[in-house]
């Protein structure tokens, strides 16, 4: 089992940057694939980015490709989401999740990202 805690959200202007962190507890972090998801008010949760357990492969939603970068540090049990060139439509609660066998089982509480125009 793993517990996840996100941090790094906040208020930023259009075009700005933020780096989200997701710290995990538990001894088996390196065995989990990790993903970032977001949910804006009145909308369904959507996939943002994912990274394999080794960090060797990454995946992005088309809406963030080229602007966001997911990475992980297994020694620190942390996954990151670097967000550049932020837009108002990126405003949402961002949550990280841990997956086994392709199923996202564990979720953090989320961190609010607000991009002002």
């Amino acid at each position: 089992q793993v517990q996840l805690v996100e941090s790094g959200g906040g208020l930023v202007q259009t075009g700005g940057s933020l780096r989200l962190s997701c710290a995990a507890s538990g001894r088996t972090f390196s065995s989990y694939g990790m993903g970032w998801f977001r949910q804006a008010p009145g909308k369904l949760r959507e996939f943002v980015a994912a990274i394999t357990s080794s960090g060797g492969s990454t995946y992005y939603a088309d809406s963030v490709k080229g602007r966001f970068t997911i990475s992980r540090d297994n020694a620190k049990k942390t996954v990151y989401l670097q967000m550049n060139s932020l837009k108002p439509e990126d405003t949402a609660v961002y949550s990280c999740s841990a997956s086994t066998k392709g199923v996202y089982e564990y979720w953090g509480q989320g961190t609010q990202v607000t991009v002002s125009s």
Side-chain angles (χ1 to χ4, degrees), residues 14-91:
T14 297
S17 297
L18 284 174
R19 188 175 83 152
L20 305 183
S21 298
C22 172
S25 63
R27 294 185 297 175
T28 58
F29 174 76
S30 60
S31 67
Y32 290 96
M34 297 297 296
W36 284 97
F37 294 77
R38 67 186 182 186
Q39 187 167 19
K43 296 188 176 181
L44 297 175
R45 183 168 60 198
E46 65 174 355
F47 167 79
V48 175
I51 188 166
T52 54
S53 57
S54 67
S57 296
T58 56
Y59 309 89
Y60 297 94
D62 287 343
S63 59
V64 306
K65 203 170 293 182
R67 300 188 298 122
F68 291 10
T69 302
I70 189 171
S71 61
R72 67 188 297 161
D73 185 333
N74 284 343
K76 294 183 178 179
K77 298 181 182 179
T78 302
V79 63
Y80 304 98
L81 186 67
Q82 177 67 44
M83 306 186 295
N84 299 328
S85 303
L86 283 161
K87 306 174 181 180
E89 51 264 43
D90 294 318
T91 295

Side-chain angles (χ1 to χ4, degrees), residues 91-114:
T91 295
V93 174
Y94 285 70
S95 300
C96 64
S97 182
S99 72
T100 54
K101 300 180 181 179
V103 177
Y104 286 98
E105 296 183 74
Y106 305 104
W107 295 84
Q109 297 279 16
T111 185
Q112 176 71 46
V113 171
T114 303

